[in-house]
Amino acid sequence: MNTYSSFSDNELAFLLTKNDELAFTEIYNRFYGLLFIHASKRLNSEEEAKDLVQQLFETLWIKRTQVAPDGNLSGYLYAATRNRVIDVFAHQKVEDKYIGSLQGYLDQEHVLTDYLVREKDMAALIEREIDALPPKMREIFLMSRMENKTHKEIAELLGLSELTVKTQVKRALKILRSRLGLVTYLIFMLKTYH
């Protein structure tokens, strides 16, 4: 009795096209190990190689009637394995690129959000400290810094001397600097003198 292991690749390919399950089993036994080694060397992952070769044989059985019965079976299987390895790499590249761009976007989003939160916090802190100034000093300071009025204009509007206005603004700045700390104070000064 003829055993399948004695058949040539071409004979097995021919029998496969005729739905011969024993021919398929022999092809699987003959090539699985070699294709697995071939795939795992390229993928550096035995798990991925196992999945890849398994899927290759599933596809071979599904498309068994399309196999060229007189073709080069080993060449066909190696080419199919190589193409699947290339697909895996292409897929990983797309995935890595997507993950990379997503991470970049999230990092940017985080930096922007972080900056906006800090800016909001800083603005609230500056506002609180201005509100804590003595009423007259606060009024003069706001007219000077927020409404951009000159010392002379403020003096005329409030019926004070220019010297008093100047002194009040100086004192307000000194208080704010000591309460806000140098960095926040400088940021505040830059914003009010844009």
Side-chain angles (χ1 to χ4, degrees):
M1 188 183 154
N2 231 354
T3 61
Y4 280 81
S5 58
S6 65
F7 288 160
S8 70
D9 291 352
N10 283 1
E11 287 171 316
L12 290 171
F14 175 75
L15 291 170
L16 181 65
T17 62
K18 302 299 177 207
N19 302 324
D20 190 324
E21 287 184 30
L22 291 174
F24 174 76
T25 304
E26 178 56 34
I27 292 167
Y28 181 89
N29 291 337
R30 195 175 286 186
F31 289 102
Y32 180 88
L34 296 168
L35 295 174
F36 170 74
I37 291 165
H38 182 65
S40 59
K41 270 184 186 172
R42 276 150 187 71
L43 294 172
N44 286 325
S45 163
E46 289 192 357
E47 204 56 47
E48 274 189 80
K50 199 191 290 180
D51 289 347
L52 185 145
V53 177
Q54 206 68 49
Q55 288 166 7
L56 172 69
F57 278 105
E58 282 171 26
T59 305
L60 179 66
W61 178 252
I62 293 164
K63 296 183 174 181
R64 60 193 175 277
T65 56
Q66 297 166 25
V67 174
D70 54 353
N72 179 352
L73 184 63
S74 63
Y76 168 79
L77 291 171
Y78 275 105
T81 304
R82 190 190 64 235
N83 291 339
R84 283 171 181 265
V85 166
I86 290 167
D87 286 349
V88 168
F89 283 133
H91 183 70
Q92 278 175 349
K93 217 172 189 177
V94 168
E95 225 170 54
D96 291 348
K97 197 174 176 185
Y98 173 73
I99 289 168
S101 67
L102 181 66
Q103 193 55 54
Y105 171 76
L106 291 175
D107 289 348
Q108 274 184 331
E109 195 68 13
H110 173 71
V111 168
L112 181 63
T113 306
D114 193 44
Y115 171 76
L116 292 174
V117 166
R118 282 171 191 256
E119 193 175 34
K120 208 174 168 188
D121 288 349
M122 204 177 286
L125 173 68
I126 291 167
E127 217 169 287
R128 266 201 314 274
E129 292 305 335
I130 290 172
D131 286 346
L133 293 171
K136 200 65 171 171
M137 187 185 286
R138 185 177 72 237
E139 186 185 8
I140 293 169
F141 182 77
L142 288 172
M143 289 171 91
S144 166
R145 286 297 182 271
M146 304 302 168
E147 297 171 28
N148 294 319
K149 294 192 182 319
T150 64
H151 292 167
K152 190 178 182 181
E153 288 171 332
I154 298 167
E156 285 171 8
L157 282 166
L158 299 178
L160 302 167
S161 73
E162 263 187 77
L163 185 61
T164 303
V165 170
K166 194 176 178 179
T167 306
Q168 288 292 324
V169 170
K170 247 189 191 172
R171 280 192 189 145
L173 288 172
K174 198 175 177 187
I175 291 168
L176 289 174
R177 183 174 172 173
S178 68
R179 286 188 188 160
L180 294 173
L182 184 61
V183 175
T184 310
Y185 172 76
L186 289 173
I187 289 168
F188 166 70
M189 292 301 286
L190 285 169
K191 283 182 180 291
T192 55
Y193 282 113
H194 50 268

